[in-house]
């Protein structure tokens, strides 16, 4: 039996929990409340609990009296006064001196050492170290990772140790075979069908140290995760097996749209896009461990992810890969907490500079793009006020030095806007991205070197091979009258476009603000910056603008072994995901194809074997 007090300056109330004779009594009281009022309320709560218990105790006592050898009057029954008065409750200090009436409850609890309930002294613990939340989000799948996550009060998570055990029997005794320690467990393949348990408890050093977290009984938590499931083997293993391991000094580049959890939860997703996928396999708790396994198996030097939620980044990717990679996230400029994540191998690269751009702010505010904006705003009357403010696309750019060769690279990651009638938007976004990549190349040109830094551009471009955006990338230019510019006359922003994605606060359950982690710049536009529309007599032909790729024609890493598709869902299949390079690169190999025959038995992507509606795309490169 004990009393726990949460007393924090700045919080409006004092939280008190009383564990007494099997009861858990919780009270929240204002700091300024007189202590006698708090004690009266606690006494009434104790009295009510004792009254409820007394009825049951009397029945048990009656049964005990009927047993042979029972001595009348020796039954342990809680004495209960009138519930209108409550039990006699007081606060005493370490000298057993009663805290006087009139003392503020916050001061009284800080001074007291015990609560006296009808002569029973319960020790008071003020702000004891405790585990507030303990989770290992995700299903336990053989061969896949799980990451334990804790949130603590009045201690640090690093003071805890984690043990993973198989086949733990029921009860509180952790009798089972320990198969791993630490926050992360890669579940052994041979554990399918066996139960998995994880325990968080004070580390050996802190448990034994004076004043350490080991003093608190609240610092041990147990999670029983259930039976480990087996993932059906098949084409994913064959595909990766053919690709083979990474061979230094080759650079392995990966791009992967991992299908954010909240997009897969919508009615449109469940009924129209993935009707073939069982809800259990569409659940992100099932898909997240498979994503971790896919990334580990590919083992890239550069990994570009799209549709990653802030929670997945912070609670899964960062602890799982943070020791091996520089990991950073950039959120989209929207109410939906998802964006792009870039992982760069610490062994392969020194990061020279990171930059993030928001497309709508870039196009609106960067003077380099003012001639383009003046013309398209004149040709597309609703664009400046009705379309551009809704654009949430971001660009991630990093300048890195390859440690083995000293060569500088610019790496870009993005997820372009999706809409069937928005090819002109994606083309405009591609123009802006290429310009910023070129500027970063110029900034990081090695003195005396005639070559600009190499470029690796990855992402879900939502653009098929025949589209103008891809033509600009691969062929080096696009005319002002290309048919894709004509989409400007067919596209208009509607409210349902924005409401199609569920709103999710850019803050995770533990209260960590996404703004703390995202380096996305401010969205505020300069109110005094008016865009002058280009006079009609100065327009270029067609609905667009002529533009040359400042990087020149880029190399498609799948040019010699094109995929049939990278996205395969109900009613659609196509190539949307790309790895492109500029500079002296040679492609050694690329991650192989998947056939429709592989997917048809399960309907498409995602499914019980694969976690996303997009395939991972990867290529091994060498400097030519």
């Amino acid at each position: 039996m004990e009393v726990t007090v949460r007393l924090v300056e700045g919080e409006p109330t004092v939280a008190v929990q009383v564990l007494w004779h099997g009861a858990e009594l919780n009270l929240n009281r204002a700091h300024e409340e007189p202590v006698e009022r708090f004690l009266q309320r606690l006494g009434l709560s104790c009295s009510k609990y004792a009254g409820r218990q007394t009825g049951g105790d009397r029945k048990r006592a009656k049964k005990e009296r009927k047993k042979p050898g029972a001595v009348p009057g020796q039954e342990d029954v809680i004495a209960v006064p009138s519930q209108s008065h409550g039990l006699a409750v007081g606060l005493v200090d370490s000298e057993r001196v009663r805290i006087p009436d009139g003392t503020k409850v916050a001061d009284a609890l800080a001074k007291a050492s015990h609560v006296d309930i009808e002569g029973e002294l319960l020790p008071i613990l003020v702000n004891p170290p405790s585990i507030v939340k303990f989770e290992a989000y995700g299903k336990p799948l053989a061969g896949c990772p799980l990451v334990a996550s804790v949130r603590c009060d009045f201690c640090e998570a690093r003071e805890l140790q984690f043990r993973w055990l198989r086949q733990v029997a029921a009860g509180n005794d952790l009798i089972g075979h320990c198969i791993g320690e630490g926050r992360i467990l890669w579940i052994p393949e041979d554990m399918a069908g066996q139960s998995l348990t994880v325990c968080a408890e004070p580390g050996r050093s802190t448990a034994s140290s004076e004043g350490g977290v080991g003093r608190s009984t609240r610092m041990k938590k147990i999670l029983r995760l259930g039976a480990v499931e087996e993932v059906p083997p098949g084409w994913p293993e064959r595909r990766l097996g053919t690709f083979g391991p990474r061979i230094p000094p080759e650079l392995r580049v990966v791009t992967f749209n991992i299908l954010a959890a909240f997009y897969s939860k919508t009615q449109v997703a469940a009924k129209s896009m993935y009707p073939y996928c069982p809800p259990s396999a569409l659940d992100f708790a099932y898909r997240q461990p498979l994503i971790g396994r896919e990334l580990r198996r590919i083992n890239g030097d550069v990994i570009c992810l799209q549709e990653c939620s802030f929670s997945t980044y912070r609670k899964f990717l960062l602890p799982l890969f943070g020791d091996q990679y520089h990991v950073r996230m950039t959120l989209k400029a929207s109410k939906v907490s998802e964006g792009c994540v870039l992982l760069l191998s610490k062994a392969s690269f020194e990061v020279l500079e990171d930059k993030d751009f928001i497309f709508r702010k870039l196009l609106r505010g960067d003077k380099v793009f003012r001639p383009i904006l003046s013309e398209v705003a004149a040709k597309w009357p609703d664009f400046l006020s009705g379309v551009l403010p809704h654009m949430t696309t971001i660009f991630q750019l990093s300048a890195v030095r390859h440690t083995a060769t000293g060569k500088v690279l610019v790496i870009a990651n993005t997820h372009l806007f999706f809409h069937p009638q928005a090819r002109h938007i994606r083309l405009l976004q591609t123009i802006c991205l290429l310009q910023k990549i070129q500027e970063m190349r110029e900034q990081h040109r090695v003195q005396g070197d005639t070559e600009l830094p190499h470029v690796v551009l990855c992402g879900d471009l939502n653009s098929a091979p025949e589209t103008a955006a891809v033509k600009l990338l691969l062929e080096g230019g696009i005319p002002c009258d290309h048919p894709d510019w004509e989409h400007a006359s067919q596209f208009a922003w509607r409210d349902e476009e924005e409401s199609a994605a569920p709103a999710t606060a850019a803050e995770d359950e533990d209260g960590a603000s996404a703004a703390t982690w995202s380096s996305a710049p401010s969205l505020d536009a300069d109110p005094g910056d008016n865009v002058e529309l280009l006079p009609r007599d100065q327009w270029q032909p067609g609905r667009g603008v002529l533009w040359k790729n400042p990087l020149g024609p880029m190399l498609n890493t799948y040019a010699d072994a094109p995929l049939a598709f990278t996205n395969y869902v109900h009613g659609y299949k196509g190539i949307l995901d790309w790895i492109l390079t500029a500079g002296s690169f040679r492609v050694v190999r690329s991650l192989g194809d998947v056939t429709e025959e592989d997917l048809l038995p399960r309907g498409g992507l995602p499914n019980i074997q694969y976690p996303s509606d997009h395939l991972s795309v990867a290529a091994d490169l060498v400097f030519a």
Side-chain angles (χ1 to χ4, degrees):
M1 296 188 292
E2 65 181 18
V3 177
T4 303
V5 177
R6 179 182 174 86
L7 180 56
V8 179
E9 186 177 352
E11 291 187 0
T13 60
V14 182
V16 181
Q17 183 184 74
V18 180
L19 302 180
W20 179 68
H21 288 290
E24 180 181 308
L25 309 174
N26 294 285
L27 298 91
N28 284 286
R29 316 303 293 179
H31 282 241
E32 307 294 319
E33 181 179 73
V35 67
E36 60 269 23
R37 187 177 300 171
F38 160 73
L39 294 173
Q40 181 185 29
R41 171 54 60 188
L42 178 57
L44 287 170
S45 297
C46 292
S47 177
K48 290 177 182 178
Y49 172 75
R52 289 195 297 270
Q53 291 299 101
T54 301
D57 289 337
R58 285 173 177 161
K59 291 179 181 178
R60 287 192 294 273
K62 187 175 181 180
K63 292 181 180 179
E64 290 295 325
R65 285 197 297 270
K66 293 181 179 179
K67 291 182 179 179
V71 179
Q74 292 187 356
E75 301 81 26
D76 183 18
V77 179
I78 303 173
V80 186
S82 166
Q83 289 188 18
S84 61
H85 296 91
L87 297 182
V89 180
L91 291 178
V92 297
D93 63 19
S94 58
E95 303 295 327
R96 301 298 186 264
V97 176
R98 184 183 176 90
I99 304 297
D101 290 351
T103 307
K104 296 176 182 177
V105 68
D107 296 335
L109 289 167
K111 295 175 184 177
S113 64
H114 290 79
V115 172
D116 182 344
I117 303 178
E118 294 283 332
E120 285 187 287
L121 295 179
L122 279 62
I124 296 175
L125 303 174
V126 178
N127 296 340
S130 58
I131 296 176
V132 178
K133 186 176 184 180
F134 181 33
E135 64 178 350
Y137 180 77
K139 283 185 176 293
L141 304 177
C144 297
L146 282 180
V147 179
S149 174
V150 295
R151 181 158 59 91
C152 301
D153 272 352
F154 313 113
C155 66
E156 298 291 336
R158 64 174 178 270
E159 299 177 26
L160 301 173
Q161 68 174 9
F162 301 87
R163 291 186 296 133
W164 303 81
L165 305 103
R166 73 164 89 201
Q167 298 295 85
V168 174
N172 293 324
D173 294 330
L174 291 179
I175 302 173
H177 178 59
C178 183
I179 57 172
E181 295 186 350
R183 287 184 62 191
I184 299 164
L185 176 72
W186 288 91
I187 302 173
E189 294 279 2
D190 63 0
M191 265 202 70
Q194 300 181 49
S195 66
L196 180 63
T197 299
V198 59
C199 171
E201 57 194 350
R204 295 179 182 88
S205 59
T206 54
S208 58
S209 63
E210 184 176 351
V213 298
R215 294 180 305 154
S216 173
T217 59
R218 301 169 184 272
M219 288 303 292
K220 183 173 182 178
K221 297 288 184 182
I222 298 170
L223 275 179
R224 297 182 183 275
L225 302 171
V228 174
E229 297 181 23
E230 181 180 15
V231 181
W235 63 264
E237 286 74 21
R238 185 188 70 243
R239 182 178 188 237
L240 291 170
T242 303
F243 191 38
R246 182 172 59 90
I247 305 173
E250 298 169 1
L251 290 179
R252 177 161 288 184
V253 180
V254 185
T255 186
F256 193 16
N257 180 324
I258 64 174
L259 180 57
F262 28 83
Y263 294 143
S264 65
K265 290 179 180 177
T266 65
Q267 290 293 318
V268 171
K271 294 183 178 180
S272 300
M273 296 181 68
Y274 322 119
Y276 47 81
C277 187
S280 59
L282 198 55
D283 188 342
F284 200 69
Y286 182 87
R287 296 193 294 112
Q288 180 173 272
L290 286 176
I291 291 167
R293 184 182 73 166
E294 181 81 355
L295 297 179
R296 188 196 200 195
R297 284 175 166 180
I298 299 177
N299 189 26
D301 296 285
V302 177
I303 300 175
C304 298
L305 303 179
Q306 304 86 40
E307 283 194 26
C308 181
S309 72
F310 177 68
S311 179
T312 298
Y313 157 75
R314 179 173 171 264
K315 292 185 178 181
F316 186 67
L317 295 175
L318 205 55
L320 194 61
F321 296 113
D323 290 339
Q324 184 182 354
Y325 293 91
H326 302 282
V327 186
R328 71 183 182 99
M329 178 175 196
T330 309
L331 288 168
K332 284 185 176 180
S334 71
K335 61 185 179 181
V336 180
S337 180
E338 64 96 349
C340 294
V341 172
L342 181 59
L343 299 92
L344 301 169
S345 168
K346 292 180 179 179
S348 301
F349 300 112
E350 172 196 355
V351 178
L352 304 176
E353 183 183 19
D354 292 326
K355 279 190 175 180
D356 300 322
F357 298 98
I358 296 172
F359 163 68
R360 69 185 182 209
K361 181 177 176 63
L362 194 61
L363 183 62
R364 183 69 173 77
D366 195 318
K367 299 302 181 183
V368 172
F369 303 113
R370 185 49 54 95
I372 297 176
L373 183 61
S374 295
E375 183 160 357
V376 299
K379 292 179 174 179
W380 312 341
D382 189 44
F383 178 72
L384 203 58
S385 60
V387 174
L388 185 60
H390 296 284
M391 294 291 105
T392 64
T393 301
I394 56 91
F395 309 138
Q396 276 189 317
L397 273 66
S398 287
V400 300
R401 179 177 288 110
H402 186 229
T403 53
T405 64
K407 292 184 180 294
V408 176
L409 294 82
V410 173
I411 298 169
N413 180 26
T414 192
H415 185 189
L416 299 186
F417 175 63
F418 170 75
H419 190 284
Q421 301 299 326
R423 289 186 178 186
H424 63 303
I425 300 292
R426 291 188 287 278
L427 182 50
L428 206 54
Q429 291 175 339
T430 304
I431 288 172
C432 292
L433 174 58
L434 290 171
Q435 179 63 33
K436 287 299 155 185
I437 291 173
Q438 183 67 4
E439 289 178 10
M440 183 173 274
R441 292 179 88 194
E442 296 284 357
Q443 292 165 8
H444 290 275
R445 180 198 292 266
V446 177
Q447 190 172 8
D449 198 337
T450 57
E451 279 191 344
L452 287 170
H454 297 67
V455 175
V456 176
L457 191 164
C458 299
D460 176 0
L461 305 185
N462 274 312
S463 300
E466 70 277 6
T467 60
V470 175
K471 297 290 184 185
L472 173 62
L473 291 163
L474 298 183
E475 298 178 7
I478 201 74
C480 54
D481 57 355
H482 190 282
D484 281 9
W485 289 120
E486 294 298 324
H487 281 228
S489 63
Q490 305 164 27
F491 177 79
W493 189 268
R494 297 177 178 85
D495 290 341
E496 58 264 27
E497 306 294 347
E498 194 161 26
S499 62
T504 59
E507 185 175 62
D508 71 11
E509 293 176 352
D510 291 345
S513 171
T516 305
W517 298 85
S518 171
S519 52
S522 168
L523 299 180
D524 297 332
D526 183 355
D529 182 23
N530 295 317
V531 178
E532 293 186 10
L533 303 184
L534 190 69
R536 190 180 187 90
D537 60 358
Q538 299 179 32
W539 289 5
Q540 301 176 60
R543 285 193 170 269
V545 295
L546 172 71
W547 193 261
K548 297 291 184 182
N549 184 345
L551 282 63
M554 300 184 74
L555 172 68
N556 174 14
T557 57
Y558 276 81
D560 294 334
L563 297 173
F565 49 81
T566 65
N567 179 234
Y568 194 108
V569 299
H570 182 65
Y572 177 83
K573 62 178 183 292
I575 298 173
L576 302 177
D577 306 271
W578 299 84
I579 300 175
L580 308 171
T581 69
S584 303
F585 276 122
R586 180 171 61 85
V587 180
V588 179
R589 69 186 66 83
S590 55
L591 182 56
D593 206 356
V594 179
T595 67
E596 288 196 67
E597 288 70 27
D598 291 324
L599 299 183
L600 284 176
R602 302 191 186 277
L605 297 172
N607 57 51
I608 198 170
Q609 291 177 302
Y610 203 75
S612 178
D613 56 347
H614 289 251
L615 294 171
S616 59
V617 175
D620 290 338
L621 310 174
V622 292
F623 296 103

